[in-house]
Amino acid sequence: MKQLSLITVCYVLLLFSCKEQNVKKESHEPLTATQIMQKAHEKAGGAFWQKPKSLTLTGYGIFYPNGAPVKHETHNMWREFAMTKNEAHKANGKVRIESFRDSIPVFIVTYDGENTYDLSGKQEKSDADNRWASNFGYGAIRHALDDGYTLELVADDTVKTQPAYTLKLIDPNKGETFFGIDKKDFKIVKVAFQTPRGWHHREYSEFFSKKDYSWLQAGHVALFYDGKISNEVFWTDFEVNEDLPHSLFVLKTK
């Protein structure tokens, strides 16, 4: 009987040992591109963040037109999202971006879903397309797990001294956008893509959230073209899913 009990104990210990080894083995399996993106979506705010109706961002900006910093004390953006997005770098939905210095508008640009406006009036389509192609790109990450999109895990990166995964996202129109995902907590810390102005990338940091929303917002966005800083935006507040009037996106000039 003692011998049988000893055999039973040894068998149970062996089972636990094998199970522990399997768990350790599974925990060291590298994450796939899809798994990393799923974790990034979850960190950003899950389904609520992934499919918003609108977003309002308020803050200020620092611009570097001649290399020296110039502060715009007011920098705001309103965004109304389309439900689908097939081209990462083409304007869709609606957007308004405005920036003021000493209470005077330095620039205001809007897109009403069809036409683009700035302080000089309605823009020609080719000029508008080039403008938005140099700016639109981040929003594609919300659709990264949609049908028609392809994800690839490429070389690792370092963003603000922190190690990051790099995911290449290919949209249904074959446009490419690269996203940096923090290896430690899966925040979205970088986006990069080719534009008419050159190679563009943005770095995201100083994240914050609000109790009202499942939403992680970057408080600091640094924008670069061909490695040279263009401007920094400091978002100090945000609102999600407000009703935004269409007139907000139609800029009327005299």
Side-chain angles (χ1 to χ4, degrees), residues 105-116:
V106 179
F107 67 85
I108 302 176
V109 59
T110 71
Y111 176 70
D112 66 3
E114 183 178 356
N115 300 303
T116 297

Side-chain angles (χ1 to χ4, degrees), residues 30 32 56 78 88-89 92 99 103 113 129 151 169 189 195 200 203 219 224 226 230 238 248 253-254:
T32 66
T56 299
W78 293 263
H89 309 298
N92 77 331
S99 202
S103 300
D129 287 347
L151 275 170
L169 178 61
V189 292
T195 80
H200 174 49
E203 297 177 354
F224 302 80
D226 289 333
S230 169
F238 69 93
L248 181 67
T253 58
K254 294 181 181 180

Side-chain angles (χ1 to χ4, degrees), residues 79 83-92 136 139-140 143 149 172:
R79 186 84 169 88
M83 293 304 295
T84 60
K85 188 174 182 67
N86 292 323
E87 297 184 51
H89 309 298
K90 184 176 181 180
N92 77 331
F136 269 75
H143 301 273
Y149 279 80

Side-chain angles (χ1 to χ4, degrees), residues 4 42-43 46 65 88 107 121 146 162 177 186 233 238 252-253:
L4 180 60
E42 182 180 357
K43 183 67 177 182
F107 67 85
D146 292 356
Q162 298 302 311
T177 313
F186 298 95
V233 177
F238 69 93
K252 295 182 179 180
T253 58

Side-chain angles (χ1 to χ4, degrees), residues 202-229:
R202 302 174 206 164
E203 297 177 354
Y204 301 89
S205 60
E206 298 179 23
F207 294 86
F208 67 101
S209 57
K210 299 172 70 172
K211 64 179 181 180
D212 302 324
Y213 307 119
S214 177
W215 189 284
L216 188 65
Q217 178 60 47
H220 180 205
V221 185
L223 296 87
F224 302 80
Y225 289 91
D226 289 333
K228 184 178 179 181
I229 192 164

